[in-house]
Amino acid sequence: MTQGLCAGGASGPAAQSAAAAQSVPVLRGQTLYQARCSGCHAVDANDIGPLHRGVLGRRAGTVPGFDYSPALRASRLVWTRQTLDAWLRDPEALVPGQGMDEQVLDPQERQDLIVYLASLL
Ligand code: HEC
């Protein structure tokens, strides 16, 4: 009976599994964020680095009250999945003279981090 329900294709279970599939990378990204980013960043407060809520789609270097490097402020970048990936891979290659001393070399880790950042609406 339980099996019948699971295989039945009702919208409830299907929607649940879609939500679960989406949340796994978000959770992986959140764990990575705690380990790799939270020493300098927080979601809702400026710290050594700027706050991150709403970063996807924002112009680089524009969080109010954060003292950015002149290089990042002048970069005219917009944070998309592509620019975030390039930034996390090698910030200095993307914006020479920037001020973030951290790189994420593993493409899967960057992907998970970006999914997490994108979830911070
Ligand atoms: C050692 C401290 C440090 C760590 C660790 C760090 N950051 Fe940063 N981050 C900074 C600083 C400082 C800046 C501002 C750089 C500038 O002004 O040039 C920054 C800027 C950024 C920006 C640009 C934000 C904006 O408003 O334009 C993003 C995105 C970002 N960091 C993501 C991350 C992520 C994701 C991680 C974890 C993998 C991380 N950072 C780890 C210090 C850090």
Side-chain angles (χ1 to χ4, degrees):
M1 200 58 179
T2 324
Q3 261 181 346
L5 275 174
C6 287
S11 66
Q16 268 173 20
S17 66
Q22 201 179 31
S23 72
V24 170
V26 172
L27 291 176
R28 280 205 308 258
Q30 186 174 30
T31 304
L32 282 165
Y33 188 87
Q34 302 292 348
R36 303 283 305 267
C37 318
S38 67
C40 293
H41 289 277
V43 171
D44 285 307
N46 291 327
D47 197 335
I48 295 167
L51 65 79
H52 273 148
R53 187 175 299 283
V55 67
L56 195 77
R58 181 192 288 154
R59 275 272 304 271
T62 59
V63 167
F66 185 80
D67 188 18
Y68 288 95
S69 67
L72 190 59
R73 212 176 303 141
S75 71
R76 304 187 141 266
L77 280 174
V78 172
W79 294 125
T80 63
R81 287 163 201 273
Q82 285 76 23
T83 54
L84 282 170
D85 188 66
W87 173 259
L88 293 176
R89 185 172 61 232
D90 190 347
E92 191 59 26
L94 185 67
V95 183
Q98 59 75 43
M100 175 164 131
D101 188 16
E102 177 72 8
Q103 280 178 266
V104 182
L105 298 179
D106 183 322
Q108 183 64 55
E109 291 191 354
R110 291 198 302 272
Q111 196 50 47
D112 291 344
L113 281 162
I114 291 164
V115 169
Y116 173 62
L117 290 174
S119 79
L120 303 174
L121 299 174

